Amino acid sequence: MDQWSSAFEWFQTGRNYAGSGQSALALGSYEEALRQFEKVAENFPGYETKMVNYRLKALRREIENMKSEATPEDIAIAAEYITFINLMEKADDERFSSRRAKALETFRQAKAGLAAIVSRKPEVYQTAVKAQQDRLDESITWLGKLVTGAERKPLPLQWPAPVTGRLIKGTTEFVKESDLPTSPGQMVSAGLFPGNS
């Protein structure tokens, strides 16, 4: 189930950040994981009920503990990180529903938000969010090419040239039945293909 996978991925991201001392990013990731596990519980009430309830309780407890130890700056960074996550999800939704120009704009907003987080403590956050920055850059480059290509005017349709009676290489316009071989394996006369003899 996609919703469960996404929730678990954010939970795992939070654990990785917590393990490397990135408490603000861990808090934001845990809050996103909690939100998504709550969606699983609401939208799929019969799905892995024990595991979902366990994750919900564990995340609520962990978030409460982290908030009690967090500085006001940590809380602000966590909120900015959640905004970044929401922009990424919105951009993905727009991209998958073929609203490419809108998705490109939203990915650029997400990139600006992530850059603002990094600018607070570049020595701490630059490496921590590198994978997300790389993903953003790839998405922006790819969508930029698609959007730019879509904005170009299409070439007018080219219809076949009208029969003119002039010699045009590569056409069968002037081939007569008498030009064709009369028996299998017989060679076609070189005059049938001017310029190739």
Side-chain angles (χ1 to χ4, degrees):
M1 170 194 294
D2 289 344
Q3 189 79 60
W4 169 270
S5 299
S6 180
F8 191 79
E9 189 176 319
W10 281 112
F11 167 71
Q12 193 61 46
T13 300
R15 284 178 66 178
N16 293 341
Y17 281 141
S20 61
Q22 313 287 341
S23 58
L25 298 180
L27 178 58
S29 299
Y30 282 152
E31 288 188 346
E32 179 61 19
L34 176 63
R35 184 182 73 81
Q36 294 203 21
F37 277 121
E38 286 172 341
K39 275 186 170 180
V40 171
E42 180 183 336
N43 297 335
F44 308 97
Y47 182 79
E48 297 288 344
T49 309
K50 286 183 182 180
M51 183 57 74
V52 171
N53 288 335
Y54 169 76
R55 290 283 176 219
L56 289 171
K57 286 177 188 173
L59 278 165
R60 287 177 183 135
R61 186 174 53 248
E62 186 63 30
I63 289 168
E64 188 177 319
N65 290 342
M66 291 183 82
K67 282 185 173 179
S68 69
E69 298 173 2
T71 66
E73 185 181 23
D74 288 339
I75 299 292
I77 291 169
E80 288 177 26
Y81 191 62
I82 291 168
T83 300
F84 160 75
I85 292 168
N86 292 333
L87 284 169
M88 290 291 285
E89 289 179 356
K90 181 182 176 192
D92 281 336
D93 288 344
E94 290 166 344
R95 176 173 53 180
F96 294 129
S97 60
S98 296
R99 293 178 288 159
R100 293 176 179 149
K102 189 65 182 155
L104 179 59
E105 179 185 328
T106 306
F107 273 124
R108 286 177 174 153
Q109 290 173 359
K111 184 174 181 173
L114 194 60
I117 291 170
V118 170
S119 71
R120 288 175 174 266
K121 294 181 182 177
E123 68 286 354
V124 174
Y125 295 129
Q126 186 70 51
T127 304
V129 299
K130 184 176 183 335
Q132 291 165 329
Q133 285 178 324
D134 290 346
R135 179 180 170 224
L136 271 167
D137 289 339
E138 288 170 13
S139 295
I140 288 169
T141 300
W142 181 75
L143 280 168
K145 289 177 183 176
L146 288 178
V147 169
T148 303
E151 289 173 356
R152 286 191 209 125
K153 292 187 178 180
L155 294 172
L157 290 175
Q158 298 291 323
W159 295 102
V163 175
T164 61
R166 290 180 292 150
L167 181 63
I168 302 172
K169 289 185 181 181
T171 183
T172 58
E173 178 181 346
F174 304 100
V175 176
K176 300 182 287 291
E177 190 173 345
S178 61
D179 294 324
L180 300 175
T182 55
S183 60
Q186 184 181 3
M187 297 297 292
V188 175
S189 88
L192 186 58
F193 300 102
N196 291 334
S197 52

